[in-house]
Amino acid sequence: MTAAAALRALHHGPGLPLVLPGPWDAASAKVFADAGFPALATPSAGVAASLGYEDGRTPPDEMFAAIARIVRAVDIPVSADVEAGYGLSAKELVGRLAEAGAVGCNLEDTDHATGALRDAQEQAEWLARVRAEAGGDLVINARIDTYLRGVADPAEAVRRGRMYAAAGADCVYPITAPPEQLAYLAGAIGLPVNAVVLPDGPGPRALGDLGAARVTFGPGLQHRAMAALAGIAQGLREELGTQEQGAQEQRG
């Protein structure tokens, strides 16, 4: 079984979702792998933050280099968030992913030049070209940005999802879809559905019960790690401040 086939096989379905932590660098990837997770999914925003960029502003070369470092650090399948493909041709994109060692990818239907939703037919044709180039060696998670862009009607998410399924996507990712719609979307589209864990939303187990076959975290885990680090830094500053105050009092 290839690594891509192994990743594809982990999508068991609702009730037993594939939970994919989102590493932002090699060290965090190793932590998640050592904890026993069977696969990982890089978040573009988390990687961007680790490299000092805003989300969506990471140069492609740096993003693929970061993905390669994460892949080298672990011996489990890695899926990579490559946003809208960075303007690469399907052949170039598949080649860059293969060079980095990623066996899956997120591809979103937002046009980064305009910030608007891309035409669904154009996105489906793009996904079909990626599938043709990759064959079965890439697990394609087609992100549907309708809810993110203010289109709340699930019918549009279903329309796009069915087109992406016909183009060869393995799963769909209607990001920020209401959790209570997950089961409907999965049934209507006919593919496993990826849901994201949000700070005030259901956790992975609950999302699985609601219909998600795959659960990711976006940059959420990186944010939590940075919050913990900020607490450590503040504690150090307070300790140093107490020491400095004591030294000043001794000098009198």
Side-chain angles (χ1 to χ4, degrees), residues 182-239:
L182 293 172
Y184 165 72
L185 293 170
I189 294 171
L191 284 181
V193 166
N194 187 143
V196 62
V197 175
L198 298 174
D200 298 323
R205 185 182 298 275
L207 289 171
D209 291 340
L210 288 165
R214 169 175 169 145
V215 175
T216 52
F217 298 84
L221 299 177
Q222 191 262 350
H223 289 170
R224 289 169 62 181
M226 291 303 100
L229 185 58
I232 293 171
Q234 183 60 34
L236 289 172
R237 284 300 308 155
E238 291 172 358
E239 180 181 345

Side-chain angles (χ1 to χ4, degrees), residues 6-243:
L7 176 59
R8 195 173 285 113
L10 291 170
H11 293 72
H12 300 298
L16 188 62
L18 171 60
V19 178
L20 295 167
W24 53 94
D25 59 14
S28 59
K30 194 170 188 312
V31 167
F32 294 132
D34 288 348
F37 287 95
L40 304 173
T42 70
S44 65
V47 173
S50 75
L51 297 173
Y53 295 102
E54 295 180 7
D55 187 23
R57 299 296 182 89
T58 308
D61 286 350
E62 293 195 44
M63 181 62 77
F64 285 111
I67 294 166
R69 289 191 293 272
I70 288 169
V71 170
R72 285 198 301 269
V74 299
D75 58 1
I76 56 177
V78 175
S79 180
D81 182 350
V82 288
E83 303 177 79
Y86 307 113
L88 299 171
S89 70
K91 183 175 183 177
E92 290 171 327
L93 178 65
V94 170
R96 296 295 297 270
L97 286 166
E99 288 174 4
V103 297
C105 70
N106 280 12
L107 286 170
E108 62 197 53
D109 59 3
T110 288
D111 182 338
H112 279 226
T114 65
L117 285 167
R118 190 177 186 190
D119 177 80
Q121 183 61 45
E122 291 180 359
Q123 181 69 2
E125 292 172 357
W126 154 246
L127 292 172
R129 291 195 295 272
V130 173
R131 171 55 70 211
E133 288 291 340
D137 294 331
L138 187 69
V139 177
I140 300 175
N141 188 30
R143 205 177 90 174
I144 301 169
D145 286 359
T146 51
Y147 296 96
L148 191 65
R149 301 300 168 195
V151 182
D153 185 356
E156 178 59 14
V158 169
R159 183 181 78 90
R160 287 174 175 263
R162 287 176 173 170
M163 294 173 71
Y164 302 163
D170 294 285
C171 46
V172 291
Y173 181 12
I175 188 170
T176 69
E180 62 272 15
Q181 292 184 15
L182 293 172
Y184 165 72
L185 293 170
I189 294 171
L191 284 181
V193 166
N194 187 143
V196 62
V197 175
L198 298 174
D200 298 323
R205 185 182 298 275
L207 289 171
D209 291 340
L210 288 165
R214 169 175 169 145
V215 175
T216 52
F217 298 84
L221 299 177
Q222 191 262 350
H223 289 170
R224 289 169 62 181
M226 291 303 100
L229 185 58
I232 293 171
Q234 183 60 34
L236 289 172
R237 284 300 308 155
E238 291 172 358
E239 180 181 345
L240 290 170
T242 300
Q243 293 174 348

